Amino acid sequence: MTTANPIRRPLIAGNWKMNLDLKASVELVRALTLAVPRGFQGEVMVAPPFTALTVVGEALRDSPIRLGAQDLFWEEKGAFTGEISASQLKDAGCWSVLIGHSERRRIFADTDAWVRRKLEAALKAGLIPVVCVGETLEERESQRTWRVLETQLKGGLEGFAPSALAPLVVAYEPVWAIGTGKTATPAQAQEAHLFIRKQAAALYGPAFASGLRILYGGSVTPENIDSLMAEPDIDGALVGGASLKADSFSRIVGFRSPAAR
């Protein structure tokens, strides 16, 4: 299960978080369409703020870069002030959506039960769900990393048919490495990714697990992307700050595999 799998296409996703106005958003994606390496065999996605989805989507028209959203609500419509539904994201041109990002869990108290309901809504709407899991520094230092990951995965993913979860992407984001400049070493990241793959196998079988794409997120930079992507169970990256600059994000997209170095 530690051997790189050709059916797992790399996915590099940029999470812009609460950054950039409309003008800057359009300027960035226009620069990205020119800077992202041609011939990339994987997939590239950017997730701007909700306010910029339609203008960014328009700027990405005829581009290989996909549009994603940073969150969603599980209800289709109704009196849910400030929320946005999966169908509204599809209508705005979204291909994918982040679910359960650590900032949603930590700041806005998103629970594993909420993650599961959001995942169900995303799948029903035909969005590619990127479900985020990861431990805090206190949890890692108290030897609870594996318990946290197991709980989050089971709480968020259990109860679906394996076929329904075929589009699923999981992102491992150690909370202690997000926006801190600290990065899990390639060995630490690989260890966590392999654990996640084994948990996926326990839930849905080895065939499902072998095809599951697992991204690493946590201070991904042009300087560390090559060594991270050299690990057999790391299938891409969820990029924060470095996705806000065309040159750094395009270098991450153009990571060099071990064979190319």
Side-chain angles (χ1 to χ4, degrees):
M1 197 177 293
T2 60
T3 302
N5 191 321
I7 69 171
R8 300 200 305 259
R9 295 181 67 194
L11 170 60
I12 307 296
N15 178 15
W16 295 1
K17 306 187 180 183
M18 197 174 70
N19 292 294
L20 305 182
D21 59 17
L22 297 183
K23 181 175 182 290
S25 296
V26 171
E27 289 174 349
L28 175 55
V29 291
R30 285 177 176 167
L32 284 175
T33 57
L34 297 175
V36 166
R38 297 299 174 186
F40 178 62
Q41 297 303 303
E43 293 174 318
V44 184
M45 181 266 281
V46 294
F50 290 144
T51 53
L53 285 176
T54 53
V55 294
V56 169
E58 183 62 31
L60 290 176
R61 188 183 296 274
D62 301 323
S63 163
I65 301 173
R66 311 291 193 108
L67 182 67
Q70 298 176 20
D71 192 25
L72 80 164
F73 190 56
W74 56 79
E75 294 289 352
E76 176 65 22
K77 60 183 178 180
F80 304 105
T81 301
E83 296 298 333
I84 189 166
S85 71
S87 62
Q88 288 174 320
L89 294 181
K90 285 287 288 186
D91 188 51
C94 287
W95 170 78
S96 180
V97 61
L98 304 181
I99 300 173
H101 189 280
S102 63
E103 290 157 3
R104 294 296 318 175
R105 294 178 186 265
R106 177 173 52 88
I107 301 172
F108 301 102
D110 280 20
T111 65
D112 293 331
W114 285 19
V115 167
R116 186 167 60 250
R117 296 183 74 176
K118 291 181 179 185
L119 172 58
E120 183 177 16
L123 291 169
K124 183 178 179 181
L127 292 166
I128 302 296
V130 180
V131 173
C132 304
V133 298
E135 81 283 7
T136 65
L137 181 60
E138 188 272 331
E139 288 165 341
R140 173 166 280 270
E141 290 181 340
S142 61
Q143 309 301 312
R144 287 186 286 156
T145 293
W146 310 131
R147 189 191 315 167
V148 169
L149 293 180
E150 181 180 8
T151 298
Q152 291 178 342
L153 287 165
K154 190 172 183 180
L157 305 184
E158 194 172 44
F160 294 90
S163 58
L165 286 180
L168 174 70
V169 178
V170 171
Y172 169 62
E173 41 165 26
V175 182
W176 48 272
I178 298 172
T180 63
K182 298 178 181 178
T183 309
T185 66
Q188 287 174 321
Q190 165 60 22
E191 184 181 33
H193 281 232
L194 178 57
F195 179 85
I196 290 169
R197 203 172 300 285
K198 288 180 176 179
Q199 291 301 304
L203 285 170
Y204 293 113
F208 172 84
S210 67
L212 176 65
R213 290 190 289 182
I214 307 173
L215 315 182
Y216 173 76
S219 297
V220 177
T221 68
E223 290 71 35
N224 61 32
I225 185 63
D226 294 343
S227 58
L228 288 166
M229 291 300 296
E231 297 295 337
D233 285 289
I234 298 179
D235 305 312
L238 178 57
V239 187
S243 70
L244 297 174
K245 295 182 179 179
D247 56 350
S248 59
F249 190 59
S250 62
R251 171 61 182 86
I252 291 170
V253 172
F255 67 88
R256 290 191 287 272
S257 67
R261 282 181 254 160

